[in-house]
Amino acid sequence: MTTAKTAVRKPEWLKIKIQGGRPFQEVEELLRGLHLNTVCQEANCPNRMECYGKRTATFIILGRNCTRNCTFCNVSRERPDPVDPLEPEHVAAAVRSLKLRHAVITSVTRDDLPDQGAGQFAACVRELRAQCPETTVELLIPDMQGREDLLDVILAERPEVLNHNVETVPALYPRVRPQANFERSLAVLRYAKSKGFKTKSGIMVGLGEREDEVIDVMRRLREGDCDMLTVGQYLQPTARHIAVHEYVTPETFERYRIEALELGFARVASGPFVRSSYKAEAL
């Protein structure tokens, strides 16, 4: 938690240029008409206006309410929504309408479902293949409680990229991801890589981690042959969420980018506004 007395002042480099206009409105109207949620909106992403303005979005499936209690995340934690059988069709329709070359689909965590939502991820990919055969697919998945049988359901649909975020350094998991497990997240990425998939992960900084801890996370990811990495600044969504410890400088983000490339990541995006799906088509 934070108060006015303890809040860290945002630096100049974190000022966001307000963008809107007709493309932004068109995307909002399209998503509303298809009853779709996006991580751009639900997670209060700072890049929402930019991405909507460029007629792109990251789709969030399986409802708006998460079953976990991560202290950094703006997604709500109310009673989980029923799974919408029309959601895969609606996601594909939005991708087709937006003419996306690369579609990113993520979800809330659904520990309440017997299959953790794996079947809905698979259905979305199948529908995308049918409606948008030229579009590449990136799935940003929860840890599925580490169950390989559920990962197999998703991987059977052959997404081009399997993304799963470790989010923070292991020492901060009890405060930041109390219901998650760093080793389990690494295992998800290793399993996907063992099946021949391109893998991607992301970490937030500014939560109180040390630089050597961030670099150690990079090393652990590379030990599992993770291909791509994103590093971004944590921004506190509301006063109810865990407080920002520091605003990491652009120079530090550049050091992280260089270190990650030297460790062998094929592609790296590192910067204050970088998010796991930001400009994913270029990464």
Side-chain angles (χ1 to χ4, degrees):
M1 301 300 174
T2 187
T3 68
K5 292 182 179 179
T6 61
V8 182
R9 185 183 297 275
K10 284 187 180 180
E12 289 297 315
W13 64 76
L14 278 172
K15 289 186 176 180
I16 300 173
K17 181 180 179 181
I18 300 298
Q19 303 178 54
R22 187 59 193 164
F24 176 87
Q25 295 171 2
E26 288 174 350
V27 172
E28 286 219 314
E29 291 168 4
L30 172 67
L31 297 171
R32 187 163 50 246
L34 291 170
H35 307 289
L36 290 174
N37 302 309
T38 67
V39 73
C40 323
Q41 182 175 23
E42 300 305 320
N44 198 25
C45 179
N47 303 310
R48 178 185 169 202
M49 287 192 173
E50 178 185 350
C51 293
Y52 279 19
K54 293 180 178 178
R55 293 180 60 81
T56 186
T58 296
F59 305 98
I60 186 167
I61 63 174
L62 295 166
R64 302 176 64 178
N65 300 320
C66 187
T67 56
R68 295 197 184 173
N69 192 34
C70 297
T71 59
F72 67 88
C73 184
N74 195 52
V75 174
S76 63
R77 304 172 186 87
E78 299 176 7
R79 183 176 180 179
D81 299 313
V83 177
D84 180 1
L86 296 178
E87 190 169 53
E89 181 181 338
H90 289 168
V91 168
V95 170
R96 187 178 68 247
S97 178
L98 294 170
K99 298 182 175 61
L100 297 184
R101 293 176 298 170
H102 184 78
V104 183
I105 302 172
T106 188
S107 80
V108 293
T109 301
R110 292 298 301 266
D111 293 315
D112 60 307
L113 297 174
D115 74 344
Q116 309 285 301
Q120 190 80 332
F121 270 107
C124 285
V125 179
R126 286 195 297 271
E127 194 64 36
L128 275 172
R129 300 299 191 208
Q131 293 196 39
C132 314
E134 301 302 316
T135 300
T136 54
V137 180
E138 178 176 331
L139 300 182
L140 173 53
I141 66 169
D143 62 25
M144 300 289 162
Q145 295 186 353
R147 288 177 51 184
E148 293 180 357
D149 60 323
L150 299 183
L151 294 173
D152 285 339
V153 171
I154 294 171
L155 297 177
E157 303 304 326
R158 309 302 301 178
E160 276 73 20
V161 178
L162 193 287
N163 189 347
H164 174 65
N165 289 335
V166 294
E167 303 289 11
T168 189
V169 301
L172 293 180
Y173 263 58
R175 288 199 297 120
V176 178
R177 303 187 74 199
Q179 292 167 279
N181 181 282
F182 180 75
E183 296 297 334
R184 184 167 64 193
S185 285
L186 288 181
V188 168
L189 292 161
R190 285 197 303 267
Y191 185 75
K193 175 54 65 173
S194 75
K195 298 295 183 178
F197 289 86
K198 288 184 179 179
T199 55
K200 179 179 175 183
S201 192
I203 184 171
M204 301 173 295
V205 293
L207 286 159
E209 71 291 326
R210 301 188 311 270
E211 285 193 34
D212 65 293
E213 290 179 305
V214 174
I215 293 170
D216 187 61
V217 167
M218 294 180 188
R219 291 196 184 100
R220 295 295 306 281
L221 288 167
R222 282 299 301 144
E223 286 172 4
D225 203 20
C226 185
D227 299 289
M228 293 169 274
L229 178 70
T230 59
V231 185
Q233 171 71 51
Y234 167 65
L235 297 173
Q236 184 179 3
T238 73
R240 299 188 305 275
H241 292 82
I242 190 169
V244 173
H245 184 270
E246 68 171 326
Y247 291 111
V248 176
T249 66
E251 292 77 15
T252 302
F253 278 111
E254 179 61 11
R255 286 202 301 274
Y256 286 147
R257 186 187 71 83
I258 292 170
E259 182 69 28
L261 290 171
E262 290 178 348
L263 284 170
F265 286 97
R267 296 181 182 178
V268 180
S270 178
F273 291 121
V274 167
R275 297 296 181 267
S276 55
S277 56
Y278 180 54
K279 296 184 178 180
E281 73 283 355
L283 190 63

